[in-house]
Amino acid sequence: MGQTRITVLCENTAVGIFGLLGEHGFSALVEKDGRSLLFDTGQGHTLAHNMRYLGLGGRTVDGIALSHGHYDHVGGLADALIQNGGARITAHPAVLGAKYTRRKTAAGQKDTYIGMPHDRAFLEDTLGASFQFVSECRQILPGMYFSGEVPRVTDFESSDPGMMVHTESGMEQDPLADDASLLLETESGPVVLLGCAHAGTVNVLRHFREQTGHTRFHAIIGGTHLGFLNDEKQLEQTMLALEDYGLELVAVSHCTGQYAAAAFLRRFGSRFAFAGAGWSAVF
Ligand SMILES: [Fe+2]
Ligand SMILES: [Fe+2]
């Protein structure tokens, strides 16, 4: 097995040097044993730009995997397909759902569309997308596993009540069955790459433990959604439960938010990192 490199391409903040831009969103490039996988694509404002400024302009990938169908993870899909000349896209079928966020306003409540900004036919017919819809844990490239649907098992990881989806029966709470993560087998041990972890970070690790037989994980990288949940108890119990997995690196991003990231820093100390745009690590 050769080295695995993970590079964050899009994130809320830019931590790399010279010219990188931040946007609310997430995207990372995985390079392993001569294969590469693009995990999420950000909103679409910074992917192509940041790839150029990271020396990755024109780089093609062997596939794309989507963590879920929110705009801040799939908005750059068109740019990614154009740069790549089409691609096989692995995602849960619910990724194409009509997703909304419900927020309270002075006038009551307001639903705002936060789903895929592109039409499926446009992605397939014009830009060369080939969707591979996957609901179960599956190896999509050598040593790279897509989680599929993650069972909600823990009693302290709640779903976000503001996440909605419009179905044939109207607007309902979005179960976010499409929320998926990656497990990468590396020379340092298994590394888990999270999009937003709407399923709950600990649920994701439990699922990979059951599906792959790995009991300890070298690192988690990405969004934990704890910033939006704003739940002190969930934050504390998540950090406590993570101790069972032997993590040597906790590299949070995106929807973790600054408050929860600071709590992770206090708890994990030298094992903590903030994985903004331009952050890269070799395992
Ligand atoms: Fe999300
Ligand atoms: Fe997100």
Side-chain angles (χ1 to χ4, degrees), residues 27-29 36-42 47 60-67 73-74 76-92 123 127-134 140-141 144 146 182:
S27 171
L29 178 69
S36 56
L37 180 70
L38 180 65
F39 180 60
D40 286 345
T41 64
L47 180 69
T60 56
V61 293
D62 296 295
I64 297 173
L66 300 176
S67 68
H73 297 256
V74 300
L77 197 47
D79 275 345
L81 288 166
I82 291 165
Q83 172 159 326
N84 212 54
R88 170 181 270 220
I89 301 168
T90 303
H92 186 281
L123 296 173
L127 301 186
S130 164
F131 281 98
Q132 171 185 242
F133 293 113
V134 175
I140 52 175
L141 283 170
M144 303 188 201
F146 181 78
L182 293 183

CSV table of all heavy atoms in Angstrom, one decimal, residues 27-29 36-42 47 60-67 73-74 76-92 123 127-134 140-141 144 146 182:
chain,number,residue,atom,x,y,z
A,27,SER,N,-15.2,20.3,0.3
A,27,SER,CA,-14.7,19.4,-0.8
A,27,SER,C,-13.3,18.9,-0.5
A,27,SER,O,-12.5,19.7,0.1
A,27,SER,CB,-14.7,20.1,-2.1
A,27,SER,OG,-14.1,19.3,-3.1
A,28,ALA,N,-13.0,17.7,-0.8
A,28,ALA,CA,-11.7,17.2,-0.5
A,28,ALA,C,-11.3,16.2,-1.6
A,28,ALA,O,-12.1,15.5,-2.2
A,28,ALA,CB,-11.6,16.5,0.8
A,29,LEU,N,-10.0,16.2,-1.9
A,29,LEU,CA,-9.4,15.3,-2.9
A,29,LEU,C,-8.7,14.2,-2.2
A,29,LEU,O,-7.8,14.5,-1.3
A,29,LEU,CB,-8.5,16.1,-3.9
A,29,LEU,CG,-7.8,15.2,-5.0
A,29,LEU,CD1,-8.8,14.8,-6.0
A,29,LEU,CD2,-6.7,16.0,-5.6
A,36,SER,N,-7.6,8.6,-7.8
A,36,SER,CA,-8.0,9.8,-7.1
A,36,SER,C,-9.5,9.9,-7.1
A,36,SER,O,-10.2,9.5,-8.0
A,36,SER,CB,-7.4,11.1,-7.6
A,36,SER,OG,-7.7,11.1,-9.0
A,37,LEU,N,-10.0,10.4,-6.0
A,37,LEU,CA,-11.5,10.5,-5.8
A,37,LEU,C,-11.8,11.9,-5.3
A,37,LEU,O,-11.1,12.4,-4.3
A,37,LEU,CB,-11.9,9.4,-4.8
A,37,LEU,CG,-13.4,9.4,-4.4
A,37,LEU,CD1,-14.2,8.9,-5.6
A,37,LEU,CD2,-13.7,8.5,-3.2
A,38,LEU,N,-12.8,12.6,-5.9
A,38,LEU,CA,-13.2,13.9,-5.4
A,38,LEU,C,-14.4,13.6,-4.5
A,38,LEU,O,-15.4,13.0,-4.9
A,38,LEU,CB,-13.6,14.7,-6.6
A,38,LEU,CG,-14.1,16.1,-6.2
A,38,LEU,CD1,-13.0,17.0,-5.6
A,38,LEU,CD2,-14.6,16.9,-7.5
A,39,PHE,N,-14.3,14.1,-3.2
A,39,PHE,CA,-15.4,13.9,-2.3
A,39,PHE,C,-16.0,15.3,-2.1
A,39,PHE,O,-15.4,16.2,-1.5
A,39,PHE,CB,-14.8,13.4,-0.9
A,39,PHE,CG,-15.8,13.2,0.1
A,39,PHE,CD1,-16.9,12.3,0.0
A,39,PHE,CD2,-15.7,13.9,1.3
A,39,PHE,CE1,-17.8,12.1,1.0
A,39,PHE,CE2,-16.7,13.7,2.4
A,39,PHE,CZ,-17.7,12.8,2.2
A,40,ASP,N,-17.2,15.4,-2.6
A,40,ASP,CA,-18.0,16.7,-2.5
A,40,ASP,C,-17.3,17.8,-3.4
A,40,ASP,O,-16.2,17.6,-3.8
A,40,ASP,CB,-18.1,17.2,-1.1
A,40,ASP,CG,-19.2,16.4,-0.3
A,40,ASP,OD1,-20.0,15.7,-0.9
A,40,ASP,OD2,-19.2,16.5,0.9
A,41,THR,N,-18.0,18.8,-3.6
A,41,THR,CA,-17.6,19.8,-4.6
A,41,THR,C,-17.7,21.3,-4.1
A,41,THR,O,-17.6,22.2,-4.9
A,41,THR,CB,-18.4,19.7,-5.9
A,41,THR,OG1,-19.7,20.0,-5.6
A,41,THR,CG2,-18.2,18.3,-6.5
A,42,GLY,N,-18.1,21.5,-2.8
A,42,GLY,CA,-18.4,22.9,-2.4
A,42,GLY,C,-19.6,23.4,-3.0
A,42,GLY,O,-20.4,22.7,-3.7
A,47,LEU,N,-14.2,25.8,-6.2
A,47,LEU,CA,-13.5,24.5,-6.5
A,47,LEU,C,-12.5,24.6,-7.6
A,47,LEU,O,-11.3,24.3,-7.4
A,47,LEU,CB,-14.6,23.5,-6.9
A,47,LEU,CG,-14.0,22.1,-7.2
A,47,LEU,CD1,-13.5,21.4,-6.0
A,47,LEU,CD2,-15.1,21.2,-7.9
A,60,THR,N,-7.5,15.3,-13.4
A,60,THR,CA,-8.7,14.5,-13.5
A,60,THR,C,-8.8,13.5,-12.4
A,60,THR,O,-7.7,13.2,-11.8
A,60,THR,CB,-8.8,13.8,-14.8
A,60,THR,OG1,-7.6,13.0,-15.0
A,60,THR,CG2,-8.9,14.8,-16.0
A,61,VAL,N,-10.0,13.0,-12.1
A,61,VAL,CA,-10.1,12.1,-11.0
A,61,VAL,C,-10.8,10.8,-11.5
A,61,VAL,O,-11.4,10.8,-12.6
A,61,VAL,CB,-11.0,12.7,-9.8
A,61,VAL,CG1,-10.3,13.8,-9.1
A,61,VAL,CG2,-12.4,13.1,-10.4
A,62,ASP,N,-10.7,9.7,-10.8
A,62,ASP,CA,-11.3,8.5,-11.2
A,62,ASP,C,-12.7,8.3,-10.8
A,62,ASP,O,-13.4,7.4,-11.2
A,62,ASP,CB,-10.5,7.3,-10.6
A,62,ASP,CG,-9.0,7.3,-11.1
A,62,ASP,OD1,-8.9,7.1,-12.3
A,62,ASP,OD2,-8.1,7.6,-10.4
A,63,GLY,N,-13.2,9.3,-10.0
A,63,GLY,CA,-14.6,9.2,-9.6
A,63,GLY,C,-14.9,10.4,-8.6
A,63,GLY,O,-14.0,11.1,-8.1
A,64,ILE,N,-16.2,10.6,-8.4
A,64,ILE,CA,-16.7,11.6,-7.5
A,64,ILE,C,-17.6,10.9,-6.5
A,64,ILE,O,-18.4,10.0,-7.0
A,64,ILE,CB,-17.4,12.7,-8.3
A,64,ILE,CG1,-16.5,13.5,-9.2
A,64,ILE,CG2,-18.1,13.7,-7.3
A,64,ILE,CD1,-17.2,14.5,-10.1
A,65,ALA,N,-17.6,11.2,-5.3
A,65,ALA,CA,-18.5,10.7,-4.3
A,65,ALA,C,-19.1,11.9,-3.6
A,65,ALA,O,-18.5,12.9,-3.3
A,65,ALA,CB,-17.8,9.8,-3.3
A,66,LEU,N,-20.4,11.8,-3.4
A,66,LEU,CA,-21.2,13.0,-2.7
A,66,LEU,C,-21.7,12.6,-1.4
A,66,LEU,O,-22.3,11.5,-1.2
A,66,LEU,CB,-22.4,13.4,-3.6
A,66,LEU,CG,-22.0,13.8,-5.0
A,66,LEU,CD1,-23.3,14.1,-5.8
A,66,LEU,CD2,-21.1,15.0,-5.0
A,67,SER,N,-21.4,13.4,-0.4
A,67,SER,CA,-21.8,13.1,1.0
A,67,SER,C,-23.3,13.2,1.2
A,67,SER,O,-23.9,12.5,2.0
A,67,SER,CB,-21.0,14.0,2.0
A,67,SER,OG,-21.5,15.3,1.9
A,73,HIS,N,-22.3,21.2,-0.8
A,73,HIS,CA,-21.5,20.0,-1.1
A,73,HIS,C,-21.6,19.5,-2.5
A,73,HIS,O,-20.7,18.9,-3.0
A,73,HIS,CB,-21.9,18.8,-0.1
A,73,HIS,CG,-21.7,19.2,1.3
A,73,HIS,ND1,-20.6,18.7,2.0
A,73,HIS,CD2,-22.3,20.0,2.1
A,73,HIS,CE1,-20.6,19.2,3.3
A,73,HIS,NE2,-21.7,20.0,3.3
A,74,VAL,N,-22.7,19.9,-3.2
A,74,VAL,CA,-22.9,19.5,-4.5
A,74,VAL,C,-22.9,20.6,-5.6
A,74,VAL,O,-23.0,20.4,-6.8
A,74,VAL,CB,-24.2,18.6,-4.7
A,74,VAL,CG1,-24.1,17.4,-3.8
A,74,VAL,CG2,-25.4,19.4,-4.4
A,76,GLY,N,-20.7,22.5,-6.7
A,76,GLY,CA,-19.6,22.6,-7.7
A,76,GLY,C,-19.6,21.4,-8.6
A,76,GLY,O,-18.6,21.2,-9.4
A,77,LEU,N,-20.6,20.6,-8.6
A,77,LEU,CA,-20.6,19.4,-9.4
A,77,LEU,C,-20.5,19.7,-10.9
A,77,LEU,O,-19.7,19.0,-11.6
A,77,LEU,CB,-21.9,18.6,-9.2
A,77,LEU,CG,-22.0,17.1,-9.6
A,77,LEU,CD1,-20.8,16.3,-9.1
A,77,LEU,CD2,-23.3,16.5,-9.0
A,78,ALA,N,-21.1,20.7,-11.4
A,78,ALA,CA,-21.0,21.0,-12.8
A,78,ALA,C,-19.6,21.4,-13.2
A,78,ALA,O,-19.0,20.9,-14.2
A,78,ALA,CB,-21.9,22.2,-13.2
A,79,ASP,N,-18.9,22.2,-12.4
A,79,ASP,CA,-17.5,22.6,-12.6
A,79,ASP,C,-16.6,21.4,-12.6
A,79,ASP,O,-15.7,21.2,-13.4
A,79,ASP,CB,-17.0,23.6,-11.6
A,79,ASP,CG,-17.4,25.0,-12.0
A,79,ASP,OD1,-17.7,25.2,-13.2
A,79,ASP,OD2,-17.3,25.9,-11.1
A,80,ALA,N,-16.9,20.5,-11.6
A,80,ALA,CA,-16.1,19.3,-11.5
A,80,ALA,C,-16.2,18.4,-12.7
A,80,ALA,O,-15.2,17.8,-13.2
A,80,ALA,CB,-16.5,18.5,-10.2
A,81,LEU,N,-17.4,18.3,-13.2
A,81,LEU,CA,-17.7,17.4,-14.4
A,81,LEU,C,-17.0,18.0,-15.6
A,81,LEU,O,-16.5,17.3,-16.5
A,81,LEU,CB,-19.2,17.2,-14.6
A,81,LEU,CG,-19.9,16.3,-13.6
A,81,LEU,CD1,-21.4,16.5,-13.7
A,81,LEU,CD2,-19.5,14.9,-13.8
A,82,ILE,N,-17.1,19.4,-15.7
A,82,ILE,CA,-16.5,20.0,-16.9
A,82,ILE,C,-15.0,19.8,-16.9
A,82,ILE,O,-14.4,19.4,-17.9
A,82,ILE,CB,-16.9,21.5,-16.9
A,82,ILE,CG1,-18.4,21.7,-17.2
A,82,ILE,CG2,-16.0,22.3,-17.9
A,82,ILE,CD1,-18.9,23.1,-16.8
A,83,GLN,N,-14.4,20.0,-15.7
A,83,GLN,CA,-12.9,19.9,-15.6
A,83,GLN,C,-12.5,18.4,-15.9
A,83,GLN,O,-11.5,18.2,-16.5
A,83,GLN,CB,-12.5,20.3,-14.2
A,83,GLN,CG,-11.0,19.9,-13.9
A,83,GLN,CD,-10.4,20.7,-12.8
A,83,GLN,OE1,-10.8,21.9,-12.6
A,83,GLN,NE2,-9.5,20.1,-12.0
A,84,ASN,N,-13.4,17.5,-15.5
A,84,ASN,CA,-13.0,16.1,-15.6
A,84,ASN,C,-13.4,15.4,-16.9
A,84,ASN,O,-13.1,14.3,-17.2
A,84,ASN,CB,-13.7,15.3,-14.4
A,84,ASN,CG,-12.8,14.2,-13.9
A,84,ASN,OD1,-11.6,14.3,-13.6
A,84,ASN,ND2,-13.4,13.0,-13.9
A,85,GLY,N,-14.3,16.1,-17.7
A,85,GLY,CA,-14.8,15.5,-18.9
A,85,GLY,C,-15.8,14.4,-18.5
A,85,GLY,O,-15.7,13.3,-19.1
A,86,GLY,N,-16.6,14.7,-17.5
A,86,GLY,CA,-17.6,13.7,-17.1
A,86,GLY,C,-17.0,12.8,-15.9
A,86,GLY,O,-15.8,12.9,-15.7
A,87,ALA,N,-17.8,12.1,-15.3
A,87,ALA,CA,-17.3,11.2,-14.2
A,87,ALA,C,-18.4,10.3,-13.7
A,87,ALA,O,-19.6,10.6,-13.8
A,87,ALA,CB,-16.8,12.1,-13.0
A,88,ARG,N,-18.0,9.2,-13.1
A,88,ARG,CA,-18.9,8.4,-12.3
A,88,ARG,C,-19.1,9.0,-10.9
A,88,ARG,O,-18.1,9.3,-10.3
A,88,ARG,CB,-18.3,7.0,-12.2
A,88,ARG,CG,-19.1,6.1,-11.3
A,88,ARG,CD,-18.5,4.7,-11.1
A,88,ARG,NE,-19.0,3.8,-12.1
A,88,ARG,CZ,-19.3,2.5,-11.9
A,88,ARG,NH1,-19.1,2.0,-10.7
A,88,ARG,NH2,-19.9,1.8,-12.8
A,89,ILE,N,-20.4,9.1,-10.6
A,89,ILE,CA,-20.7,9.8,-9.3
A,89,ILE,C,-21.4,8.8,-8.4
A,89,ILE,O,-22.4,8.3,-8.7
A,89,ILE,CB,-21.6,11.0,-9.5
A,89,ILE,CG1,-21.0,12.0,-10.5
A,89,ILE,CG2,-22.0,11.7,-8.2
A,89,ILE,CD1,-21.9,13.1,-11.0
A,90,THR,N,-20.7,8.5,-7.2
A,90,THR,CA,-21.4,7.6,-6.2
A,90,THR,C,-22.1,8.5,-5.2
A,90,THR,O,-21.5,9.4,-4.6
A,90,THR,CB,-20.3,6.8,-5.6
A,90,THR,OG1,-19.6,6.0,-6.6
A,90,THR,CG2,-20.9,5.8,-4.6
A,91,ALA,N,-23.4,8.1,-5.0
A,91,ALA,CA,-24.2,8.9,-4.0
A,91,ALA,C,-25.4,8.0,-3.6
A,91,ALA,O,-25.7,7.1,-4.4
A,91,ALA,CB,-24.6,10.2,-4.6
A,92,HIS,N,-25.9,8.3,-2.5
A,92,HIS,CA,-27.2,7.7,-2.1
A,92,HIS,C,-28.3,8.3,-2.9
A,92,HIS,O,-28.3,9.4,-3.3
A,92,HIS,CB,-27.4,8.0,-0.6
A,92,HIS,CG,-28.6,7.3,0.0
A,92,HIS,ND1,-29.9,7.7,-0.2
A,92,HIS,CD2,-28.7,6.2,0.8
A,92,HIS,CE1,-30.8,6.9,0.4
A,92,HIS,NE2,-30.0,6.0,1.0
A,123,LEU,N,-26.7,17.4,-16.0
A,123,LEU,CA,-25.5,16.8,-15.5
A,123,LEU,C,-25.2,15.5,-16.3
A,123,LEU,O,-24.0,15.3,-16.7
A,123,LEU,CB,-25.6,16.4,-14.0
A,123,LEU,CG,-25.8,17.6,-13.1
A,123,LEU,CD1,-26.1,17.0,-11.7
A,123,LEU,CD2,-24.6,18.5,-13.0
A,127,LEU,N,-23.0,17.1,-19.4
A,127,LEU,CA,-21.7,17.2,-18.7
A,127,LEU,C,-21.1,15.8,-18.5
A,127,LEU,O,-20.0,15.7,-17.9
A,127,LEU,CB,-21.8,18.0,-17.4
A,127,LEU,CG,-22.3,19.4,-17.5
A,127,LEU,CD1,-22.2,20.1,-16.2
A,127,LEU,CD2,-21.5,20.2,-18.6
A,128,GLY,N,-21.8,14.7,-18.8
A,128,GLY,CA,-21.2,13.4,-18.8
A,128,GLY,C,-21.2,12.8,-17.4
A,128,GLY,O,-20.4,11.9,-17.1
A,129,ALA,N,-22.2,13.1,-16.6
A,129,ALA,CA,-22.3,12.5,-15.3
A,129,ALA,C,-22.9,11.1,-15.4
A,129,ALA,O,-23.8,10.9,-16.2
A,129,ALA,CB,-23.2,13.3,-14.3
A,130,SER,N,-22.4,10.1,-14.7
A,130,SER,CA,-22.9,8.8,-14.6
A,130,SER,C,-23.2,8.4,-13.2
A,130,SER,O,-22.2,8.2,-12.4
A,130,SER,CB,-21.9,7.8,-15.3
A,130,SER,OG,-22.3,6.5,-15.0
A,131,PHE,N,-24.4,8.5,-12.7
A,131,PHE,CA,-24.7,8.3,-11.3
A,131,PHE,C,-24.7,6.8,-11.0
A,131,PHE,O,-25.3,6.0,-11.7
A,131,PHE,CB,-26.1,8.9,-11.0
A,131,PHE,CG,-26.1,10.4,-10.8
A,131,PHE,CD1,-26.4,11.2,-11.8
A,131,PHE,CD2,-25.6,10.9,-9.6
A,131,PHE,CE1,-26.4,12.6,-11.6
A,131,PHE,CE2,-25.6,12.3,-9.4
A,131,PHE,CZ,-26.0,13.2,-10.4
A,132,GLN,N,-24.1,6.5,-9.9
A,132,GLN,CA,-24.1,5.1,-9.3
A,132,GLN,C,-24.7,5.3,-7.9
A,132,GLN,O,-24.1,5.8,-7.0
A,132,GLN,CB,-22.7,4.6,-9.2
A,132,GLN,CG,-22.6,3.3,-8.4
A,132,GLN,CD,-21.1,2.9,-8.2
A,132,GLN,OE1,-20.7,1.8,-8.7
A,132,GLN,NE2,-20.3,3.7,-7.6
A,133,PHE,N,-26.0,5.0,-7.8
A,133,PHE,CA,-26.7,5.2,-6.5
A,133,PHE,C,-26.5,4.0,-5.6
A,133,PHE,O,-26.8,2.8,-6.0
A,133,PHE,CB,-28.2,5.4,-6.8
A,133,PHE,CG,-28.5,6.7,-7.5
A,133,PHE,CD1,-29.0,6.7,-8.8
A,133,PHE,CD2,-28.2,7.9,-6.9
A,133,PHE,CE1,-29.2,7.9,-9.5
A,133,PHE,CE2,-28.4,9.1,-7.6
A,133,PHE,CZ,-28.9,9.1,-8.8
A,134,VAL,N,-26.0,4.3,-4.4
A,134,VAL,CA,-25.6,3.2,-3.5
A,134,VAL,C,-26.2,3.5,-2.1
A,134,VAL,O,-26.0,4.6,-1.6
A,134,VAL,CB,-24.1,3.2,-3.4
A,134,VAL,CG1,-23.6,2.2,-2.3
A,134,VAL,CG2,-23.4,2.9,-4.7
A,140,ILE,N,-15.6,1.6,-3.4
A,140,ILE,CA,-15.8,2.2,-4.7
A,140,ILE,C,-14.5,2.4,-5.5
A,140,ILE,O,-14.6,2.4,-6.7
A,140,ILE,CB,-16.6,3.6,-4.6
A,140,ILE,CG1,-15.9,4.5,-3.6
A,140,ILE,CG2,-18.0,3.4,-4.3
A,140,ILE,CD1,-16.5,5.9,-3.6
A,141,LEU,N,-13.4,2.4,-4.8
A,141,LEU,CA,-12.1,2.3,-5.5
A,141,LEU,C,-11.2,1.5,-4.5
A,141,LEU,O,-11.6,1.4,-3.3
A,141,LEU,CB,-11.5,3.7,-5.7
A,141,LEU,CG,-12.0,4.5,-6.9
A,141,LEU,CD1,-11.6,6.0,-6.9
A,141,LEU,CD2,-11.6,3.9,-8.2
A,144,MET,N,-11.1,2.4,-0.7
A,144,MET,CA,-11.9,3.6,-0.5
A,144,MET,C,-13.4,3.1,-0.4
A,144,MET,O,-13.9,2.6,-1.3
A,144,MET,CB,-11.8,4.6,-1.6
A,144,MET,CG,-10.4,5.1,-1.9
A,144,MET,SD,-10.4,6.5,-3.1
A,144,MET,CE,-8.8,6.5,-3.7
A,146,PHE,N,-17.4,3.8,0.5
A,146,PHE,CA,-18.6,4.7,0.7
A,146,PHE,C,-19.5,4.1,1.7
A,146,PHE,O,-19.9,3.0,1.6
A,146,PHE,CB,-19.2,4.9,-0.7
A,146,PHE,CG,-20.4,5.8,-0.8
A,146,PHE,CD1,-20.2,7.2,-0.8
A,146,PHE,CD2,-21.7,5.3,-0.8
A,146,PHE,CE1,-21.3,8.1,-0.9
A,146,PHE,CE2,-22.8,6.2,-0.8
A,146,PHE,CZ,-22.5,7.6,-0.9
A,182,LEU,N,-16.8,8.7,3.9
A,182,LEU,CA,-15.8,7.7,3.3
A,182,LEU,C,-14.9,7.1,4.3
A,182,LEU,O,-14.6,7.8,5.3
A,182,LEU,CB,-14.9,8.5,2.3
A,182,LEU,CG,-15.5,9.0,1.0
A,182,LEU,CD1,-14.4,9.6,0.1
A,182,LEU,CD2,-16.3,8.0,0.2
